[in-house]
């Protein structure tokens, strides 16, 4: 869940960025007494996400704005659905409209894209997870959206889990040396993941008794062979060339996790509108 204090701080920063020293359009076209009623509609099918963030934008601007949602995060919405009613001081509704829509459109778009990937996996047990390829300072919202869409979460940041990649291996001299050095210094509470490009690296990672083995850009046959070789000794993650047309075949190899940046980085915003 997104903590309210975190959301409110982020929303205030976003409003400060957008409003600056004042909304010179709305300030001169409205008075404090003007009241406005609006409807939040969806023009396309999708998964709703960002309800509480949307509400927070308007509540920060004015406690007198009343919002009634008819769907909750994670619900399927259809083109033409009325998502919410908004009523209150016209000045502050007009002032916050763009920021509120930016949040809910982006978050709903990610949740919708994630749901497509989850559904494409079908009956296989693999989970679709995100990556660290996120928008700077918007990661918490994007990861929350992945979760709402039915995905699972990879590490939140660099301090969550040790992940040894090809450059780490080259710098350390070998995969084994990299793991040994980490194990000498890492907390007992952290897991170690190794990115493997070849079956030989998978064997080396197994000998090092790492927690997670990532199969990076391997063929389906190589993945099947590695899953059989690992045989439950580590969590198996597949990465690379993951899209809606390939994810089901990847899941069929028996991997536990399929990571993809596409569910966030390539997710389109959902077409939601605020209409008077």
């Amino acid at each position: 869940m997104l903590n309210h204090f975190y959301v409110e701080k982020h929303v205030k920063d976003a409003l400060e960025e957008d409003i600056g020293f004042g909304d010179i359009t709305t300030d001169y076209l409205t008075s404090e007494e003007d009241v406005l009623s609006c409807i939040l509609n969806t023009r396309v099918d999708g998964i709703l996400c960002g309800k509480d963030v949307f509400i927070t934008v308007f509540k920060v601007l004015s406690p007198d704005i009343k919002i009634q949602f008819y769907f909750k995060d994670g619900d399927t919405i259809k083109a033409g659905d009325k998502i919410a009613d908004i009523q209150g001081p016209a000045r502050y509704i007009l002032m916050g409209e763009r920021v509120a829509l930016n949040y809910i459109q982006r978050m709903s778009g990610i949740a919708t894209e994630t749901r497509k990937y989850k559904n494409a996996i079908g009956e296989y047990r693999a989970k679709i997870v995100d990556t660290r390829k996120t928008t700077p300072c918007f990661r918490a919202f994007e990861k929350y959206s992945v979760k709402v869409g039915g995905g699972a979460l990879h590490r939140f940041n660099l301090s969550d889990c040790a992940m040894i990649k090809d450059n780490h291996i080259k710098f350390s001299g070998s995969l084994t040396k990299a793991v040994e050095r980490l194990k000498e210094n890492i907390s007992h509470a952290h897991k170690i993941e190794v990115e493997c490009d070849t079956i030989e690296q998978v064997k080396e990672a197994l000998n090092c008794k790492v927690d997670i083995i990532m199969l990076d850009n391997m063929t389906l046959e190589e993945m099947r062979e590695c899953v059989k070789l690992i045989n439950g000794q580590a969590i198996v993650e597949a990465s690379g060339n993951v899209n809606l047309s390939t994810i089901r075949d990847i899941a069929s190899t028996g991997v536990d996790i399929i990571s993809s940046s596409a569910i966030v980085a390539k997710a389109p915003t959902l077409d939601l509108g605020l209409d008077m």
Side-chain angles (χ1 to χ4, degrees), residues 18-19 22-32 34 36 61 89-98 276:
D18 197 49
I19 297 171
D23 180 353
I24 60 173
T25 308
T26 303
D27 285 348
Y28 293 119
L29 292 180
T30 64
S31 70
E32 290 287 350
D34 289 330
L36 183 63
L61 289 169
R91 173 170 296 178
Y92 299 110
I93 291 176
L94 293 171
M95 195 179 292
E97 172 187 3
R98 182 69 268 156
M276 290 190 200

Side-chain angles (χ1 to χ4, degrees), residues 220-237:
L220 294 175
E221 285 307 313
E222 286 173 331
M223 282 190 271
R224 288 191 182 94
E225 185 175 346
C226 288
V227 168
K228 186 176 180 181
L229 177 66
I230 295 167
N231 192 30
Q233 298 175 75
I235 295 170
V236 185
E237 176 182 341

